[in-house]
Amino acid sequence: MSTQSLIGFLANSLKYGHDLAKTRVYTMTQKTPLYEGKAKVIFEGPEVGTLIQHFKDDATAFNAQKKEVISSKGILNNYISEHIMMAVGELGIPNHFISRISDREQLIRKLEIIPVEVVVRNVAAGSICPRLGLEEGSMLNNTLVEFCLKDDSLGDPIIAPEHIFTFGWATPEELEIIVEDTLRINDFLTGLFLGIGVRLIDFKLEFGRYDTEDGVEIMLADEISPDNCRLWDAETNEKMDKDRFRRDLGGLVEAYQEIARRLGVKVPEID
Ligand code: ADP
Ligand code: UDP
């Protein structure tokens, strides 16, 4: 290990040590930070083929040009995503979630992430509005599935399926499974949220490949939380998602807490 990477490792161990200490069953050797993203840190898991996903309080928007730390956001996303991933799993859609191991951490399956963000839109909002001259809140004639290349340095550009095949990011067979799972998740989540008085406007999914004895399986990865969904109150259209941060509306933690409460997710008390 070079001096620089040793310093980086020690700094990360100190930074996350407090939360890690809560996950008693894992030893320090299993706690090597592998990757720090904008909202989460990925650590080595306790067994081959597993990882630990740590939810931070960092909020970013507009390709990380806007940044803030919002106390407890990571805890709320961890609990909400656990609830949704388990429900999606019960539907029979394979996903990476294994178990929640602390307020900020989940044990997940280690996937080879497909570098494509799958965006589902039921109602026009966010980037599609200026791109296509649509008014926020206008209904789309049908569910729209878009693909973006997962590459921050390029600003996650929108791409067509042909790009995905041409550059080998996924095969046509893999994309067919991804789209089928995505549409099922959208139907399920639309109903789940409507049942608690919330409109599912749009959301983003990521998928990856998991090596099994029988071959490679496509699995849903990452998280499903108010950080990567647009959720509007069904009666008032009030925003209950990360747009509260993007647009400086305030009350993000309260909105995420309300989503958790309506979903019946018990979260730790937050000051
Ligand atoms: P970003 O990388 O966009 O800043 P995050 O801060 O959310 O995003 O970091 C989480 C990272 O972990 C993402 O890059 C995501 O693709 C990756 N990831 C999510 N689930 C898995 C998984 N099961 N296996 C491997 N990597 C994963
Ligand atoms: N999204 C996300 N991560 C991204 C881009 C989008 O989670 O890197 C989610 C976003 O929260 C919204 C949906 O995908 O629910 C559509 O986002 P949009 O393309 O409108 O982009 P944004 O509003 O982030 O510019």
Side-chain angles (χ1 to χ4, degrees):
M1 194 183 268
S2 70
T3 312
Q4 208 167 20
S5 53
L6 180 65
I7 290 169
F9 170 78
L10 291 174
N12 274 322
S13 300
L14 284 174
K15 198 162 150 202
Y16 299 106
H18 176 71
D19 279 90
L20 294 177
K22 290 186 200 154
T23 62
R24 295 166 295 258
V25 284
Y26 303 109
T27 65
M28 270 318 288
T29 51
Q30 291 160 332
K31 289 294 191 290
T32 311
L34 296 175
Y35 170 82
E36 175 152 9
K38 297 184 290 297
K40 299 190 284 296
V41 186
I42 301 293
F43 294 89
E44 264 177 19
E47 285 166 29
V48 175
T50 66
L51 295 171
I52 292 169
Q53 179 167 249
H54 173 108
F55 289 74
K56 300 190 287 180
D57 286 340
D58 301 25
T60 64
F62 314 120
N63 205 17
Q65 285 167 30
K66 181 177 164 79
K67 284 187 200 169
E68 213 175 286
V69 175
I70 303 178
S71 179
S72 304
K73 177 178 79 75
I75 297 175
L76 290 161
N77 283 341
N78 185 21
Y79 277 79
I80 293 171
S81 192
E82 170 193 16
H83 180 83
I84 294 179
M85 285 290 183
M86 283 181 64
V88 165
E90 279 164 26
L91 272 187
I93 297 176
N95 71 71
H96 73 164
F97 182 82
I98 300 173
S99 62
R100 185 174 53 73
I101 51 181
S102 74
D103 281 355
R104 288 188 185 273
E105 292 166 317
Q106 305 183 342
L107 184 63
I108 58 171
R109 292 182 185 86
K110 181 179 190 165
L111 307 185
E112 182 196 344
I113 292 291
I114 294 172
V116 172
E117 298 190 338
V118 183
V119 172
V120 183
R121 299 183 188 276
N122 297 307
V123 175
S127 66
I128 197 172
C129 294
R131 179 161 27 100
L132 299 181
L134 303 175
E135 202 168 312
E136 181 179 76
S138 53
M139 287 303 296
L140 301 172
N141 289 336
N142 50 260
T143 298
L144 183 61
V145 179
E146 294 179 335
F147 307 102
C148 295
L149 178 63
K150 192 175 155 53
D151 186 333
D152 286 340
S153 67
L154 299 175
D156 295 345
I158 189 163
I159 51 174
E162 285 73 14
H163 294 98
I164 298 176
F165 310 145
T166 298
F167 295 102
W169 294 315
T171 65
E173 294 73 24
E174 288 175 330
L175 198 64
E176 199 180 318
I177 296 170
I178 288 171
V179 171
E180 193 180 306
D181 284 358
T182 296
L183 292 174
R184 281 189 67 208
I185 292 167
N186 183 48
D187 283 350
F188 169 72
L189 288 185
T190 298
L192 179 82
F193 280 116
L194 260 192
I196 58 165
V198 172
R199 299 172 69 200
L200 177 62
I201 304 301
D202 60 29
F203 59 100
K204 183 264 298 181
L205 298 177
E206 290 183 28
F207 290 85
R209 301 182 185 93
Y210 185 64
D211 274 327
T212 72
E213 281 175 5
D214 302 326
V216 173
E217 186 172 17
I218 296 293
M219 280 193 188
L220 175 65
D222 207 50
E223 67 178 293
I224 302 183
S225 74
D227 259 17
N228 55 15
C229 300
R230 282 198 172 87
L231 303 168
W232 295 358
D233 181 88
E235 273 182 20
T236 63
N237 278 334
E238 197 187 352
K239 296 180 198 307
M240 305 177 77
D241 55 62
K242 205 170 88 172
D243 271 352
R244 301 209 68 85
F245 161 70
R246 291 189 189 96
R247 298 185 178 199
D248 294 321
L249 299 173
L252 178 140
V253 165
E254 291 75 7
Y256 286 27
Q257 278 176 311
E258 178 60 10
I259 292 290
R261 191 191 67 77
R262 291 194 199 180
L263 283 171
V265 177
K266 265 186 81 77
V267 294
E269 229 163 89
I270 286 160
D271 308 326

